């Protein structure tokens, strides 16, 4: 059976919802939302400024979340265009944070970025309410249009419709799915969003500070609103109750797509049936194989993500330059795919295989730029260096796949390394040397099972040397609960 061009697979139970976006039979995006820790992005809160930091041009907001939220000056004041710089370009600056907000001031904010790691959520005072066709900006008077709508005539038509319908003082962003929609459908979406905003304003009068004013849709309905468009062949849901809820939402908001909804009724797990579980497991691995036999290594760290490209088993059929260029070009497509699938954001450094020819470096750079154009996340890419290194950034809005599904290893505390057995044995040797100088005739050495076995086999001579020199007995006692690096001497 030929795979559909694009489909959305929804797996849900009472504790968790998982959504997979599949294109041409391959997983390209993954979302997960657990009942106990629903996402915060899009939620609106009535908060209070608790600290203003002029040195960072930011403030901290108490919004009733687990940690205080971060508010940058650019999210609370409108940009100003100053005089030209020396190079003739306008400088964009902002009013000072200390002039914009004061400690103790009440403020309505919306979560723009999820809390990641130890960082609190990033919030903005520029509220935006997404609908099916429009995004309503009640505090910012501007009409913008998705760059993915490329037809100039259609862009003008949509802009004229929205500009003619909207009230002064408000703004809208015209979404990609609005392309081809008539005036009545656009007006219905606009009216709904305006009513929603009015209900939020009324709630603000009743709610104490800090407190929630609006909660974004849950994952299933959010995916339908934001991703379920004309390019999606079908949306499959494995829960009858969730299917019914989704059907009602589609009937109200986009009735033309109702026949694309399907209820999955097989006994097999829906992700297993579509091969998604296997792809999910692969997406958590560091090494990704290329078809040619080369591979890439993706190393996500606190400060940045490093991607290393290697020829691996691929030796090519012509000269080394051709082999390297082919591997790098193949890696470009896979790297862009993996960034999207793993939702990797922030600073990204790609270490391509060294290319001697300037033309080859230019070819790889242009291929990377072209591949990134299809990425919905905003990216910025710098020129490839003579060493084959590309520095780029990708906008980070939510947690990466690894952050969503994994936690630091409790054994190595997320370092990925522990002291080697030989290093631990030498640490033990030095401690025993001091302990055996005392008056006791025998000491007990408590160690992990791994180290105990190592001391009785490969490193038995270390203990024997100590016993012989000090004429005292060392009793090795394995402790099943001990970490490899832990030991105690009694």
């Amino acid at each position: 059976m030929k795979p559909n061009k694009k489909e959305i697979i929804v797996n849900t139970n009472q504790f968790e919802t998982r959504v997979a976006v599949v294109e041409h039979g391959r997983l390209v995006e993954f979302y997960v939302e657990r009942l106990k820790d629903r996402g915060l992005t899009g939620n609106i809160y009535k908060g209070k400024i608790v600290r203003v930091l002029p040195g960072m041009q930011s403030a901290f907001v108490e919004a009733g979340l687990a940690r205080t939220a971060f508010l940058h000056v650019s999210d609370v004041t409108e940009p100003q265009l100053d005089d030209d710089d020396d190079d003739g370009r306008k400088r964009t600056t902002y009013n000072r944070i200390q002039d914009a907000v004061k400690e103790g001031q009440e403020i309505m904010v919306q979560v723009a970025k999820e809390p990641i790691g130890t960082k609190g959520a990033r919030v903005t005072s520029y509220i935006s309410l997404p609908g099916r066709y429009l995004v309503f900006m009640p505090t910012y008077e501007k009409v913008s249009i998705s760059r993915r709508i490329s037809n100039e005539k259609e862009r003008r038509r949509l802009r004229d419709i929205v500009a003619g319908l909207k009230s002064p003082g408000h703004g809208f962003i015209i979404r990609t799915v609005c392309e081809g929609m008539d005036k009545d459908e656009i007006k219905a979406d606009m009216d709904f969003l305006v009513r929603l905003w009015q209900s939020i304003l009324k709630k603000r009068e009743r709610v104490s500070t800090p407190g929630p004013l609006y909660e974004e849709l849950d994952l299933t309905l959010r995916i339908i609103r934001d991703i379920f468009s004309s390019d999606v062949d079908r949306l499959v849901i494995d829960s009858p109750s969730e299917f019914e809820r989704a059907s009602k939402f589609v009937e109200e908001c986009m009735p033309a797509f109702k026949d694309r909804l399907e209820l999955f009724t097989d006994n097999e797990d829906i992700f297993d049936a579509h091969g998604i579980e296997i792809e999910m497991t692969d997406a958590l691995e560091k090494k990704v194989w290329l078809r040619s036999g080369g591979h890439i290594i993706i190393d996500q760290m606190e400060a940045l993500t490093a991607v290393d490209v290697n020829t691996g088993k691929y030796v090519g059929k012509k000269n080394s330059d051709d082999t390297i260029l082919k591997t790098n070009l193949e890696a470009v497509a896979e790297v862009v795919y993996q960034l999207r699938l793993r939702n990797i954001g922030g600073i990204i450094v790609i270490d391509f295989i060294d290319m001697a020819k300037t033309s080859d470096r230019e070819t790889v750079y242009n291929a990377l730029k072209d591949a990134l154009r299809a990425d919905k996340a905003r990216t910025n890419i710098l020129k490839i260096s003579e060493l084959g290194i590309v520095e780029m950034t990708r906008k980070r809005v939510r947690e990466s796949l690894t952050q969503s599904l994994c936690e630091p290893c409790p054994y190595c505390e997320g370092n990925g390394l522990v002291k080697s057995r030989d290093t631990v044995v030498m640490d033990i040797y030095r401690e025993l040397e001091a302990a055996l100088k005392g008056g006791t005739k025998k000491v007990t050495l408590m160690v992990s099972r791994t180290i105990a076995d190592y001391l009785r086999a490969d490193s038995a001579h270390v203990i024997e040397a100590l016993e012989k020199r000090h004429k005292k007995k060392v009793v090795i006692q394995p402790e099943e609960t001990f970490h490899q690096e832990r030991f105690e001497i009694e």
Side-chain angles (χ1 to χ4, degrees):
M1 176 178 163
K2 185 179 177 182
N4 291 335
K5 180 182 176 183
K6 185 173 182 179
E7 56 188 1
I8 300 171
I9 312 298
V10 181
N11 167 232
T12 186
N13 57 45
Q14 60 181 318
F15 304 110
E16 175 188 69
T17 298
R18 300 187 300 169
V19 176
V21 180
V22 178
E23 293 180 0
H24 303 290
R26 194 180 188 194
L27 177 67
V28 294
E29 291 178 20
F30 175 81
Y31 304 83
V32 61
E33 185 173 84
R34 296 188 175 105
L35 185 63
K36 68 182 183 68
D37 45 16
R38 280 272 305 268
L40 301 175
T41 301
N43 290 0
I44 300 173
Y45 298 90
K46 183 179 181 181
K48 180 184 289 186
I49 303 292
V50 292
R51 194 177 179 193
V52 178
L53 303 173
M56 293 177 62
Q57 280 301 291
S58 59
F60 285 104
V61 180
E62 177 56 63
L65 305 175
R67 290 186 290 270
T68 53
F70 177 82
L71 177 69
H72 188 257
V73 64
S74 61
D75 289 313
V76 74
T77 65
E78 292 191 18
Q80 307 292 324
L81 288 177
D82 289 352
D83 295 333
D84 291 351
D85 276 334
D86 294 337
D87 59 4
R89 292 182 301 180
K90 290 281 188 181
R91 291 196 311 267
T92 301
T93 61
Y94 299 90
N95 294 325
R96 300 187 308 168
I97 190 72
Q98 56 268 40
D99 296 332
V101 296
K102 304 295 181 186
E103 288 188 15
Q105 173 185 332
E106 287 188 355
I107 185 171
M108 185 193 297
V109 292
Q110 184 173 36
V111 177
K113 286 186 180 180
E114 295 281 344
I116 298 176
T118 58
K119 298 178 181 178
R122 178 165 179 167
V123 296
T124 177
S125 66
Y126 294 125
I127 308 300
S128 62
L129 297 172
R132 174 61 178 168
Y133 305 118
L134 305 170
V135 177
F136 181 38
M137 299 181 294
T139 60
Y140 195 54
E141 186 168 9
K142 184 179 179 182
V143 175
S144 302
I145 188 165
S146 168
R147 61 183 179 180
R148 293 180 182 273
I149 300 177
S150 55
N151 185 289
E152 281 301 322
K153 186 177 180 181
E154 177 67 1
R155 291 176 69 89
R156 284 196 300 272
R157 183 186 77 88
L158 292 173
R159 195 186 294 273
D160 290 344
I161 290 174
V162 172
L165 291 173
K166 82 176 191 71
S167 302
H170 299 327
F172 287 90
I173 299 172
I174 302 168
R175 308 187 73 174
T176 306
V177 292
C178 191
E179 187 172 9
M181 295 298 110
D182 61 34
K183 184 176 180 179
D184 290 342
E185 290 175 302
I186 294 172
K187 185 177 186 303
D189 199 40
M190 183 181 291
D191 291 344
F192 166 76
L193 293 172
V194 171
R195 288 196 303 272
L196 176 60
W197 173 241
Q198 290 170 346
S199 69
I200 291 171
L201 292 179
K202 288 178 181 177
K203 189 173 182 180
R204 183 176 63 172
E205 302 302 318
R206 306 191 308 267
V207 171
S208 58
T209 307
L213 298 176
Y214 167 78
E215 190 175 79
E216 176 61 301
L217 297 175
D218 62 43
L219 180 58
T220 301
L221 300 188
R222 199 164 66 242
I223 287 292
I224 293 173
R225 182 193 67 196
D226 296 341
I227 299 180
F228 192 31
S229 55
S230 57
D231 65 334
V232 177
D233 292 276
R234 62 176 189 151
L235 189 152
V236 191
I237 303 175
D238 66 351
S239 163
S241 59
E242 194 75 352
F243 176 79
E244 184 179 346
R245 200 167 65 93
S247 296
K248 289 179 180 177
F249 186 78
V250 171
E251 184 68 45
E252 292 175 5
C253 301
M254 52 194 88
F257 294 133
K258 190 173 182 181
D259 61 349
R260 301 188 191 188
L261 276 179
E262 291 183 20
L263 176 63
F264 184 80
T265 56
D266 292 2
N267 291 327
E268 187 180 6
D269 179 86
I270 190 171
F271 270 30
D272 284 334
H274 290 82
I276 295 169
E277 291 292 3
I278 295 173
E279 291 193 80
M280 288 294 304
T281 301
D282 291 342
L284 297 175
E285 297 289 338
K286 277 190 173 185
K287 180 181 282 190
V288 179
W289 288 100
L290 304 175
R291 289 186 178 181
S292 64
H295 64 265
I296 60 175
I297 302 292
I298 302 172
D299 199 356
Q300 292 178 251
M301 296 168 280
E302 182 78 19
L304 55 82
T305 296
V307 182
D308 187 32
V309 182
N310 300 280
T311 53
K313 300 174 183 177
Y314 181 59
V315 294
K317 296 180 180 179
K318 297 181 181 179
N319 56 51
S320 61
D321 286 346
D322 288 340
T323 301
I324 289 169
L325 178 59
K326 183 176 179 181
T327 305
N328 281 338
L329 287 175
E330 188 181 5
V332 163
E334 189 62 33
V335 167
V336 173
Y337 165 74
Q338 292 293 335
L339 294 180
R340 180 185 175 191
L341 172 60
R342 299 174 187 230
N343 195 38
I344 295 173
I347 299 171
I348 301 162
V349 177
I350 308 171
D351 183 10
F352 289 104
I353 305 165
D354 292 353
M355 293 166 282
K357 297 179 182 177
T358 303
S359 59
D360 287 351
R361 291 197 293 271
E362 195 69 24
T363 299
V364 171
Y365 172 74
N366 289 333
L368 181 60
K369 269 207 321 184
D370 290 342
L372 286 170
R373 284 196 181 99
D375 193 347
K376 291 180 181 178
R378 189 185 310 142
T379 56
N380 181 38
I381 175 173
L382 302 183
K383 278 283 187 181
I384 190 168
S385 73
E386 292 186 7
L387 296 175
I389 293 174
V390 169
E391 297 170 72
M392 63 172 284
T393 59
R394 185 173 187 270
K395 187 175 181 181
R396 175 165 43 203
V397 176
R398 57 189 174 90
E399 290 185 319
S400 68
L401 187 67
T402 302
Q403 291 169 323
S404 297
L405 300 179
C406 304
E407 61 184 24
C409 169
Y411 200 81
C412 69
E413 297 180 346
N415 293 322
L417 297 168
V418 293
K419 284 185 178 180
S420 68
R421 291 173 297 176
D422 286 328
T423 300
V424 175
V425 167
M426 287 299 98
D427 288 344
I428 291 170
Y429 175 84
R430 285 184 285 273
E431 292 287 335
L432 280 175
E433 189 75 80
L436 291 170
K437 288 178 181 177
T440 182
K441 293 181 179 180
K442 180 179 76 171
V443 297
T444 301
L445 171 64
M446 293 176 284
V447 293
S448 68
R449 169 64 64 181
T450 301
I451 297 299
D453 293 343
Y454 195 62
L455 284 170
R456 288 168 176 161
D458 296 40
S459 293
H461 61 284
V462 174
I463 300 299
E464 290 169 1
L466 283 167
E467 290 177 328
K468 185 176 181 181
R469 184 162 62 255
H470 293 280
K471 295 181 172 56
K472 293 177 181 178
K473 180 68 175 174
V474 176
V475 178
I476 300 172
Q477 180 176 312
E479 294 290 339
E480 301 298 338
T481 60
F482 272 29
H483 186 281
Q484 179 164 307
E485 297 176 4
R486 180 183 171 186
F487 62 89
E488 294 179 8
I489 298 171
E490 290 184 354

